[in-house]
Structure formats: structure tokens, C-alpha cells
Amino acid sequence: NAGVTQTPKFRVLKTGQSMTLLCAQDMNHEYMYWYRQDPGMGLRLIHYSVGEGTTAKGEVPDGYNVSRLKKQNFLLGLESAAPSQTSVYFCASSYKRGSGEQYFGPGTRLTVT
Amino acid sequence: GENVEQHPSTLSVQEGDSAVIKCTYSDSASNYFPWYKQELGKRPQLIIDIRSNVGEKKDQRIAVTLNKTAKHFSLHITETQPEDSAVYFCAAINAGGTSYGKLTFGQGTILTVHP
């Protein structure tokens, strides 16, 4: 049982490049989330999904797109990376009818130069 | 929507002292309050949580208290140890409502325990 995994762990992009971050969970969770974490800003929700084929905007969605084609995977895309998107990205998942506890992935450190 | 304020932003204590971190929330419908610990370079991990039908919960050296009337909850760590040094986040949610599991996090507290 791997829990929540993320790939890649680190990435450096040039401004304007695109990339996709992959999140996978093997706990059969219905809900999945993408956060970004910046110093002094805590965890801010980018997008979330309440089930396969559904996505919704969170607190800071601009510049990002997401897809959830399979229940176990949640992809975060950056179409044209900007330096302001330099951050640590965390994926998380939770049960629909659970306690509310979220399980986090190990994070992806992204630097945009 | 929910708003969670967390204080202090940094906390420095000597080993063996107690540490208290406080959070306030705005939505009276919130009923689940988890605390996460994030060590340097690691993922946030749940350390303790409390539901709105409980006023206090303890787990060894850590405890959480909830005051629903005042809409605030606190994390208490006793007999602190250097390995308690980390960033701590509080969060709130109306679990079971239409929040779709979306936790609202506080801004985090950097706790440093000096040997």
C-alpha cells in the first residue's frame, strides 16, 4: 500500500515551458486535491476533484489545469510556466464519507527560471 | 467560506517546556479540526484531530482543546523534545456537508525546540 505518490520529485522549468505533475493514490479515495505551499503562506488549494471525471477550482487556480480520467490519478498541468509558480506542490486525497482526514503525497519541488 | 487564523507564526521553546498553538475559525458549521505536523522537506502528516462534540482530546504528550462558543481550538505539546521541531498546521472543515472534504488551513506555526 503506497498511499499517495507524486512524480516527479523535483523539476526545473524555463519560463513558458509546460509540464504535468502526476498524483496517484491506491486507497480508493473519492476526493483528491492539489495544493501549493509557499513560505509563510501555508497550504493553498489549487484545484480539487470529487470523483472520476470531475474537477473544480480551488483558491488559486489561475495558470493551472487538472484532469482526473481515472479514480486513482489526478494530474496537474502548467501550460506556460511562470516564475510565480515556483513552489512546492502537494497532492492529497480523502474518503468521501470519512472523517475528513487528508493523506498527502511527498511533494514536488518546482522551480521556474 | 471558512477562514482559519493561526498564532503564533513562530514559537521557540526550551526542551522540556510546553508549547501552545492557537487557531480561530469563522464558520460555526465546522465540525472537524485536524492538526498536521510537517517536518522539514517532508509531507504534512496528521498528528491529532478533534470533532465538535468533544471538548478535549489527548494522545501522549499532545492534546487539543476546542471551544465551540468562541470558535477557537488549540494544540498543546508538553515536555517538548527537539524532534517536535516542525511546522504545525491547524485546519477546519464541515465534514459531511457540501465542502467536498476541502480543509481550510491556518498559515502554520514554525516550532523550534532548543536542546
Side-chain angles (χ1 to χ4, degrees):
Chain A
N1 196 344
V4 181
T5 59
Q6 291 181 232
T7 53
K9 288 185 170 54
F10 303 94
R11 186 73 185 268
V12 178
L13 289 179
K14 295 187 188 304
T15 297
Q17 288 184 321
S18 63
M19 76 163 296
T20 300
L21 284 69
L22 171 64
C23 176
Q25 51 94 5
D26 61 3
M27 297 175 282
N28 203 32
H29 286 168
E30 292 88 355
Y31 294 162
M32 296 187 75
Y33 314 86
W34 275 108
Y35 295 93
R36 60 177 289 170
Q37 185 175 36
D38 304 296
M41 301 293 288
L43 291 154
R44 293 186 292 170
L45 184 65
I46 304 171
H47 286 281
Y48 65 101
S49 168
V50 301
E52 183 177 317
T54 71
T55 63
K57 294 180 180 180
E59 181 185 354
V60 288
D62 294 342
Y64 306 94
N65 57 75
V66 288
S67 65
R68 191 156 177 213
L69 299 179
K70 294 182 179 181
K71 186 177 183 179
Q72 63 268 34
N73 295 337
F74 194 27
L75 279 64
L76 178 71
L78 286 74
E79 290 185 344
S80 180
S84 61
Q85 294 177 304
T86 293
S87 188
V88 179
Y89 292 86
F90 286 99
C91 175
S93 67
S94 69
Y95 285 112
K96 178 179 181 180
R97 299 192 188 282
S99 62
E101 178 181 357
Q102 290 188 10
Y103 296 79
F104 284 83
T108 296
R109 184 173 294 277
L110 175 65
T111 302
V112 183
T113 61
Chain B
E2 177 65 277
N3 183 51
V4 177
E5 297 286 335
Q6 182 173 345
H7 299 280
S9 56
T10 60
L11 181 59
S12 183
V13 300
Q14 289 295 127
E15 183 177 0
D17 287 350
S18 295
V20 180
I21 302 170
K22 299 181 179 181
C23 291
T24 60
Y25 61 99
S26 61
D27 187 352
S28 57
S30 289
N31 55 17
Y32 174 67
F33 308 91
W35 285 87
Y36 285 82
K37 175 184 180 182
Q38 185 179 27
E39 297 177 353
L40 189 64
K42 300 287 183 63
R43 73 189 81 188
Q45 292 197 297
L46 180 74
I47 55 170
I48 195 168
D49 55 17
I50 191 167
R51 301 194 176 281
S52 59
N53 59 349
V54 175
E56 182 176 2
K57 183 177 179 180
K58 292 184 72 173
D59 183 3
Q60 299 183 1
R61 294 187 298 108
I62 60 173
V64 58
T65 58
L66 171 65
N67 183 326
K68 284 169 48 180
T69 303
K71 289 191 279 190
H72 68 70
F73 56 112
S74 300
L75 177 71
H76 304 254
I77 306 174
T78 58
E79 300 172 22
T80 54
Q81 300 168 2
E83 51 264 40
D84 294 330
S85 296
V87 181
Y88 291 82
F89 293 97
C90 63
I93 186 176
N94 177 8
T98 58
S99 58
Y100 301 113
K102 289 184 294 174
L103 291 168
T104 300
F105 286 91
Q107 295 86 348
T109 296
I110 302 172
L111 173 64
T112 304
V113 181
H114 299 281

Short mmCIF file of all heavy atoms in Angstrom, two decimals, chain A residues 4-51:
data_model
loop_
_atom_site.label_atom_id
_atom_site.label_comp_id
_atom_site.label_asym_id
_atom_site.label_seq_id
_atom_site.Cartn_x
_atom_site.Cartn_y
_atom_site.Cartn_z
N VAL A 4 -0.21 7.81 -1.14
CA VAL A 4 -0.26 8.83 -2.18
C VAL A 4 1.16 9.05 -2.69
O VAL A 4 2.06 9.30 -1.89
CB VAL A 4 -0.83 10.16 -1.64
CG1 VAL A 4 -0.90 11.20 -2.76
CG2 VAL A 4 -2.21 9.95 -1.03
N THR A 5 1.34 8.94 -3.99
CA THR A 5 2.65 9.16 -4.59
C THR A 5 2.57 10.28 -5.60
O THR A 5 1.50 10.55 -6.17
CB THR A 5 3.16 7.88 -5.28
OG1 THR A 5 2.23 7.49 -6.29
CG2 THR A 5 3.33 6.75 -4.29
N GLN A 6 3.70 10.96 -5.82
CA GLN A 6 3.77 12.06 -6.76
C GLN A 6 5.02 11.90 -7.63
O GLN A 6 6.08 11.50 -7.12
CB GLN A 6 3.87 13.41 -6.03
CG GLN A 6 2.62 13.82 -5.31
CD GLN A 6 2.77 15.17 -4.63
OE1 GLN A 6 2.50 15.31 -3.44
NE2 GLN A 6 3.18 16.19 -5.37
N THR A 7 4.90 12.25 -8.88
CA THR A 7 6.06 12.31 -9.77
C THR A 7 5.97 13.57 -10.62
O THR A 7 4.86 13.97 -11.03
CB THR A 7 6.12 11.09 -10.71
OG1 THR A 7 4.85 10.96 -11.39
CG2 THR A 7 6.42 9.82 -9.93
N PRO A 8 7.09 14.25 -10.90
CA PRO A 8 8.41 13.95 -10.35
C PRO A 8 8.58 14.53 -8.94
O PRO A 8 7.68 15.19 -8.44
CB PRO A 8 9.33 14.68 -11.34
CG PRO A 8 8.53 15.89 -11.73
CD PRO A 8 7.09 15.43 -11.78
N LYS A 9 9.71 14.32 -8.32
CA LYS A 9 10.02 14.90 -7.02
C LYS A 9 10.58 16.31 -7.16
O LYS A 9 10.35 17.17 -6.32
CB LYS A 9 11.01 14.02 -6.27
CG LYS A 9 10.44 12.71 -5.76
CD LYS A 9 11.46 11.96 -4.92
CE LYS A 9 10.84 10.76 -4.21
NZ LYS A 9 10.14 9.85 -5.11
N PHE A 10 11.34 16.53 -8.20
CA PHE A 10 11.94 17.84 -8.46
C PHE A 10 11.84 18.15 -9.95
O PHE A 10 11.87 17.24 -10.77
CB PHE A 10 13.43 17.86 -8.07
CG PHE A 10 13.72 17.50 -6.66
CD1 PHE A 10 14.03 16.20 -6.32
CD2 PHE A 10 13.68 18.45 -5.66
CE1 PHE A 10 14.30 15.84 -5.01
CE2 PHE A 10 13.95 18.11 -4.35
CZ PHE A 10 14.26 16.81 -4.03
N ARG A 11 11.75 19.44 -10.26
CA ARG A 11 11.75 19.82 -11.67
C ARG A 11 12.15 21.28 -11.78
O ARG A 11 11.72 22.12 -10.97
CB ARG A 11 10.37 19.60 -12.29
CG ARG A 11 10.28 19.84 -13.79
CD ARG A 11 10.96 18.74 -14.57
NE ARG A 11 10.98 19.05 -15.99
CZ ARG A 11 10.05 18.68 -16.85
NH1 ARG A 11 8.99 17.99 -16.43
NH2 ARG A 11 10.16 19.02 -18.11
N VAL A 12 12.95 21.57 -12.79
CA VAL A 12 13.30 22.95 -13.10
C VAL A 12 12.79 23.25 -14.51
O VAL A 12 13.07 22.50 -15.45
CB VAL A 12 14.82 23.19 -13.03
CG1 VAL A 12 15.14 24.63 -13.41
CG2 VAL A 12 15.35 22.88 -11.63
N LEU A 13 12.02 24.30 -14.64
CA LEU A 13 11.45 24.70 -15.93
C LEU A 13 11.93 26.10 -16.30
O LEU A 13 12.22 26.90 -15.40
CB LEU A 13 9.93 24.73 -15.88
CG LEU A 13 9.13 23.44 -15.80
CD1 LEU A 13 7.64 23.76 -15.73
CD2 LEU A 13 9.42 22.55 -17.00
N LYS A 14 11.96 26.36 -17.59
CA LYS A 14 12.17 27.73 -18.04
C LYS A 14 10.80 28.38 -18.24
O LYS A 14 9.81 27.70 -18.54
CB LYS A 14 12.95 27.76 -19.34
CG LYS A 14 14.38 27.22 -19.22
CD LYS A 14 15.13 27.44 -20.52
CE LYS A 14 16.49 26.77 -20.50
NZ LYS A 14 17.32 27.20 -19.36
N THR A 15 10.75 29.69 -18.08
CA THR A 15 9.50 30.43 -18.29
C THR A 15 8.91 30.08 -19.65
O THR A 15 9.63 30.08 -20.66
CB THR A 15 9.76 31.94 -18.20
OG1 THR A 15 10.22 32.24 -16.87
CG2 THR A 15 8.50 32.73 -18.48
N GLY A 16 7.62 29.76 -19.66
CA GLY A 16 6.93 29.44 -20.89
C GLY A 16 6.84 27.95 -21.19
O GLY A 16 6.01 27.54 -22.02
N GLN A 17 7.64 27.13 -20.53
CA GLN A 17 7.58 25.70 -20.74
C GLN A 17 6.34 25.12 -20.06
O GLN A 17 5.74 25.75 -19.18
CB GLN A 17 8.84 25.01 -20.22
CG GLN A 17 10.06 25.24 -21.07
CD GLN A 17 11.27 24.45 -20.58
OE1 GLN A 17 11.50 24.30 -19.38
NE2 GLN A 17 12.04 23.93 -21.52
N SER A 18 5.98 23.93 -20.48
CA SER A 18 4.83 23.26 -19.88
C SER A 18 5.27 21.97 -19.20
O SER A 18 6.34 21.42 -19.52
CB SER A 18 3.77 22.96 -20.94
OG SER A 18 4.30 22.05 -21.89
N MET A 19 4.45 21.50 -18.27
CA MET A 19 4.73 20.22 -17.64
C MET A 19 3.46 19.70 -16.96
O MET A 19 2.50 20.47 -16.74
CB MET A 19 5.85 20.32 -16.62
CG MET A 19 5.48 20.96 -15.30
SD MET A 19 6.69 20.60 -14.00
CE MET A 19 6.54 18.84 -13.82
N THR A 20 3.49 18.43 -16.64
CA THR A 20 2.40 17.79 -15.93
C THR A 20 2.93 17.08 -14.70
O THR A 20 3.91 16.35 -14.78
CB THR A 20 1.66 16.78 -16.82
OG1 THR A 20 1.14 17.45 -17.97
CG2 THR A 20 0.52 16.12 -16.06
N LEU A 21 2.27 17.32 -13.56
CA LEU A 21 2.58 16.61 -12.34
C LEU A 21 1.55 15.51 -12.15
O LEU A 21 0.35 15.74 -12.32
CB LEU A 21 2.53 17.55 -11.12
CG LEU A 21 3.70 18.52 -10.90
CD1 LEU A 21 3.73 19.59 -11.98
CD2 LEU A 21 3.58 19.17 -9.53
N LEU A 22 2.03 14.33 -11.78
CA LEU A 22 1.14 13.20 -11.61
C LEU A 22 0.99 12.85 -10.14
O LEU A 22 1.98 12.77 -9.41
CB LEU A 22 1.66 11.98 -12.37
CG LEU A 22 0.93 10.65 -12.10
CD1 LEU A 22 -0.52 10.75 -12.57
CD2 LEU A 22 1.66 9.51 -12.78
N CYS A 23 -0.24 12.64 -9.72
CA CYS A 23 -0.54 12.16 -8.38
C CYS A 23 -1.31 10.84 -8.51
O CYS A 23 -2.23 10.75 -9.31
CB CYS A 23 -1.39 13.18 -7.63
SG CYS A 23 -1.93 12.63 -5.99
N ALA A 24 -0.91 9.88 -7.73
CA ALA A 24 -1.59 8.59 -7.74
C ALA A 24 -1.84 8.13 -6.31
O ALA A 24 -1.00 8.32 -5.43
CB ALA A 24 -0.75 7.54 -8.47
N GLN A 25 -3.05 7.54 -6.08
CA GLN A 25 -3.36 7.00 -4.75
C GLN A 25 -3.98 5.62 -4.90
O GLN A 25 -4.74 5.37 -5.84
CB GLN A 25 -4.28 7.95 -3.97
CG GLN A 25 -5.53 8.40 -4.69
CD GLN A 25 -6.76 7.57 -4.42
OE1 GLN A 25 -6.74 6.65 -3.60
NE2 GLN A 25 -7.85 7.88 -5.12
N ASP A 26 -3.64 4.75 -3.98
CA ASP A 26 -4.13 3.37 -4.04
C ASP A 26 -5.06 3.05 -2.88
O ASP A 26 -5.19 1.89 -2.48
CB ASP A 26 -2.95 2.39 -4.09
CG ASP A 26 -2.06 2.48 -2.87
OD1 ASP A 26 -2.37 3.27 -1.95
OD2 ASP A 26 -1.03 1.78 -2.84
N MET A 27 -5.72 4.06 -2.34
CA MET A 27 -6.61 3.87 -1.19
C MET A 27 -8.09 3.96 -1.59
O MET A 27 -8.96 4.00 -0.73
CB MET A 27 -6.29 4.92 -0.12
CG MET A 27 -4.88 4.78 0.43
SD MET A 27 -4.41 6.08 1.59
CE MET A 27 -4.05 7.41 0.45
N ASN A 28 -8.34 4.04 -2.89
CA ASN A 28 -9.71 4.10 -3.40
C ASN A 28 -10.46 5.34 -2.89
O ASN A 28 -11.68 5.32 -2.70
CB ASN A 28 -10.50 2.83 -3.05
CG ASN A 28 -11.68 2.61 -3.99
OD1 ASN A 28 -11.62 2.94 -5.17
ND2 ASN A 28 -12.75 2.04 -3.46
N HIS A 29 -9.71 6.43 -2.69
CA HIS A 29 -10.34 7.67 -2.23
C HIS A 29 -11.10 8.34 -3.35
O HIS A 29 -10.64 8.40 -4.49
CB HIS A 29 -9.27 8.63 -1.71
CG HIS A 29 -8.71 8.24 -0.37
ND1 HIS A 29 -7.58 8.82 0.16
CD2 HIS A 29 -9.15 7.35 0.54
CE1 HIS A 29 -7.34 8.30 1.35
NE2 HIS A 29 -8.27 7.39 1.60
N GLU A 30 -12.26 8.91 -2.99
CA GLU A 30 -13.05 9.62 -4.00
C GLU A 30 -12.51 11.01 -4.25
O GLU A 30 -12.50 11.51 -5.37
CB GLU A 30 -14.51 9.74 -3.54
CG GLU A 30 -15.26 8.41 -3.48
CD GLU A 30 -15.10 7.70 -2.16
OE1 GLU A 30 -14.34 8.18 -1.29
OE2 GLU A 30 -15.73 6.64 -1.98
N TYR A 31 -12.08 11.69 -3.17
CA TYR A 31 -11.67 13.08 -3.28
C TYR A 31 -10.16 13.20 -3.44
O TYR A 31 -9.40 12.51 -2.76
CB TYR A 31 -12.06 13.87 -2.01
CG TYR A 31 -13.55 14.01 -1.78
CD1 TYR A 31 -14.03 14.36 -0.52
CD2 TYR A 31 -14.47 13.82 -2.79
CE1 TYR A 31 -15.38 14.51 -0.28
CE2 TYR A 31 -15.83 13.96 -2.57
CZ TYR A 31 -16.28 14.30 -1.31
OH TYR A 31 -17.63 14.45 -1.08
N MET A 32 -9.72 14.11 -4.32
CA MET A 32 -8.30 14.39 -4.48
C MET A 32 -8.10 15.90 -4.62
O MET A 32 -9.00 16.61 -5.10
CB MET A 32 -7.72 13.64 -5.70
CG MET A 32 -7.78 12.12 -5.53
SD MET A 32 -6.95 11.20 -6.83
CE MET A 32 -5.21 11.47 -6.41
N TYR A 33 -6.91 16.36 -4.22
CA TYR A 33 -6.64 17.80 -4.13
C TYR A 33 -5.21 18.10 -4.59
O TYR A 33 -4.31 17.29 -4.39
CB TYR A 33 -6.77 18.28 -2.68
CG TYR A 33 -8.00 17.78 -1.97
CD1 TYR A 33 -7.99 16.55 -1.31
CD2 TYR A 33 -9.17 18.54 -1.94
CE1 TYR A 33 -9.12 16.08 -0.66
CE2 TYR A 33 -10.31 18.06 -1.28
CZ TYR A 33 -10.27 16.84 -0.65
OH TYR A 33 -11.39 16.37 0.00
N TRP A 34 -5.03 19.29 -5.14
CA TRP A 34 -3.70 19.81 -5.40
C TRP A 34 -3.53 21.11 -4.62
O TRP A 34 -4.37 22.01 -4.71
CB TRP A 34 -3.49 20.10 -6.89
CG TRP A 34 -3.05 18.92 -7.67
CD1 TRP A 34 -3.78 18.20 -8.57
CD2 TRP A 34 -1.75 18.32 -7.65
NE1 TRP A 34 -3.03 17.18 -9.09
CE2 TRP A 34 -1.78 17.23 -8.55
CE3 TRP A 34 -0.58 18.58 -6.96
CZ2 TRP A 34 -0.67 16.41 -8.77
CZ3 TRP A 34 0.53 17.77 -7.17
CH2 TRP A 34 0.48 16.70 -8.08
N TYR A 35 -2.43 21.18 -3.85
CA TYR A 35 -2.07 22.38 -3.10
C TYR A 35 -0.72 22.90 -3.57
O TYR A 35 0.11 22.15 -4.06
CB TYR A 35 -1.92 22.06 -1.61
CG TYR A 35 -3.16 21.62 -0.89
CD1 TYR A 35 -3.49 20.27 -0.77
CD2 TYR A 35 -4.00 22.56 -0.29
CE1 TYR A 35 -4.62 19.88 -0.08
CE2 TYR A 35 -5.14 22.17 0.40
CZ TYR A 35 -5.44 20.82 0.51
OH TYR A 35 -6.56 20.43 1.20
N ARG A 36 -0.50 24.17 -3.34
CA ARG A 36 0.84 24.71 -3.44
C ARG A 36 1.22 25.28 -2.08
O ARG A 36 0.36 25.78 -1.33
CB ARG A 36 0.98 25.77 -4.53
CG ARG A 36 0.12 26.99 -4.42
CD ARG A 36 0.43 27.98 -5.54
NE ARG A 36 1.74 28.62 -5.37
CZ ARG A 36 2.32 29.37 -6.29
NH1 ARG A 36 1.72 29.62 -7.44
NH2 ARG A 36 3.51 29.91 -6.07
N GLN A 37 2.50 25.17 -1.75
CA GLN A 37 2.97 25.65 -0.46
C GLN A 37 4.12 26.61 -0.68
O GLN A 37 5.16 26.23 -1.23
CB GLN A 37 3.42 24.49 0.44
CG GLN A 37 3.82 24.95 1.84
CD GLN A 37 4.14 23.81 2.77
OE1 GLN A 37 4.71 22.79 2.37
NE2 GLN A 37 3.77 23.95 4.04
N ASP A 38 3.93 27.84 -0.26
CA ASP A 38 4.95 28.87 -0.35
C ASP A 38 5.28 29.33 1.06
O ASP A 38 4.43 29.29 1.95
CB ASP A 38 4.44 30.05 -1.19
CG ASP A 38 4.01 29.61 -2.58
OD1 ASP A 38 4.88 29.15 -3.32
OD2 ASP A 38 2.80 29.69 -2.88
N PRO A 39 6.51 29.81 1.26
CA PRO A 39 6.92 30.24 2.61
C PRO A 39 5.97 31.28 3.18
O PRO A 39 5.64 32.26 2.53
CB PRO A 39 8.31 30.84 2.36
CG PRO A 39 8.81 30.13 1.14
CD PRO A 39 7.60 29.91 0.28
N GLY A 40 5.49 31.02 4.40
CA GLY A 40 4.62 31.98 5.08
C GLY A 40 3.18 31.99 4.58
O GLY A 40 2.36 32.76 5.08
N MET A 41 2.88 31.14 3.58
CA MET A 41 1.53 31.17 3.01
C MET A 41 0.72 29.92 3.34
O MET A 41 -0.43 29.81 2.98
CB MET A 41 1.61 31.30 1.49
CG MET A 41 2.33 32.54 1.01
SD MET A 41 1.43 34.03 1.39
CE MET A 41 0.07 33.91 0.24
N GLY A 42 1.32 28.99 4.00
CA GLY A 42 0.60 27.77 4.32
C GLY A 42 0.29 26.96 3.07
O GLY A 42 0.99 27.05 2.05
N LEU A 43 -0.77 26.20 3.12
CA LEU A 43 -1.20 25.34 2.02
C LEU A 43 -2.40 25.99 1.33
O LEU A 43 -3.43 26.21 1.97
CB LEU A 43 -1.58 23.96 2.55
CG LEU A 43 -0.42 23.13 3.07
CD1 LEU A 43 -0.90 22.13 4.11
CD2 LEU A 43 0.26 22.41 1.92
N ARG A 44 -2.26 26.25 0.05
CA ARG A 44 -3.36 26.86 -0.69
C ARG A 44 -3.87 25.90 -1.75
O ARG A 44 -3.09 25.35 -2.52
CB ARG A 44 -2.89 28.18 -1.33
CG ARG A 44 -2.56 29.27 -0.31
CD ARG A 44 -2.25 30.58 -0.97
NE ARG A 44 -0.99 30.53 -1.72
CZ ARG A 44 -0.59 31.49 -2.56
NH1 ARG A 44 -1.35 32.55 -2.76
NH2 ARG A 44 0.57 31.38 -3.18
N LEU A 45 -5.19 25.74 -1.79
CA LEU A 45 -5.82 24.78 -2.68
C LEU A 45 -5.87 25.32 -4.11
O LEU A 45 -6.40 26.41 -4.36
CB LEU A 45 -7.23 24.47 -2.19
CG LEU A 45 -8.01 23.42 -2.95
CD1 LEU A 45 -7.34 22.05 -2.83
CD2 LEU A 45 -9.45 23.34 -2.44
N ILE A 46 -5.36 24.55 -5.05
CA ILE A 46 -5.34 24.97 -6.46
C ILE A 46 -6.60 24.46 -7.17
O ILE A 46 -7.39 25.25 -7.71
CB ILE A 46 -4.09 24.42 -7.17
CG1 ILE A 46 -2.81 24.84 -6.45
CG2 ILE A 46 -4.05 24.92 -8.62
CD1 ILE A 46 -1.56 24.14 -6.98
N HIS A 47 -6.75 23.15 -7.22
CA HIS A 47 -7.93 22.50 -7.80
C HIS A 47 -8.23 21.25 -6.97
O HIS A 47 -7.36 20.75 -6.26
CB HIS A 47 -7.67 22.07 -9.25
CG HIS A 47 -7.65 23.17 -10.25
ND1 HIS A 47 -8.79 23.73 -10.77
CD2 HIS A 47 -6.61 23.80 -10.86
CE1 HIS A 47 -8.46 24.65 -11.66
NE2 HIS A 47 -7.14 24.72 -11.73
N TYR A 48 -9.44 20.76 -7.12
CA TYR A 48 -9.78 19.52 -6.45
C TYR A 48 -10.75 18.72 -7.31
O TYR A 48 -11.28 19.23 -8.31
CB TYR A 48 -10.37 19.78 -5.06
CG TYR A 48 -11.69 20.50 -5.04
CD1 TYR A 48 -12.88 19.81 -4.85
CD2 TYR A 48 -11.75 21.89 -5.17
CE1 TYR A 48 -14.09 20.47 -4.82
CE2 TYR A 48 -12.96 22.55 -5.14
CZ TYR A 48 -14.13 21.86 -4.96
OH TYR A 48 -15.33 22.51 -4.92
N SER A 49 -10.94 17.46 -6.91
CA SER A 49 -11.82 16.58 -7.66
C SER A 49 -12.62 15.73 -6.67
O SER A 49 -12.07 15.19 -5.71
CB SER A 49 -11.00 15.67 -8.57
OG SER A 49 -11.81 14.63 -9.09
N VAL A 50 -13.93 15.64 -6.94
CA VAL A 50 -14.77 14.86 -6.04
C VAL A 50 -15.08 13.48 -6.61
O VAL A 50 -15.83 12.71 -6.02
CB VAL A 50 -16.07 15.60 -5.68
CG1 VAL A 50 -15.73 16.93 -5.01
CG2 VAL A 50 -16.94 15.83 -6.90
N GLY A 51 -14.51 13.19 -7.78
CA GLY A 51 -14.71 11.86 -8.35
C GLY A 51 -14.15 11.81 -9.76
O GLY A 51 -13.81 12.83 -10.36
#
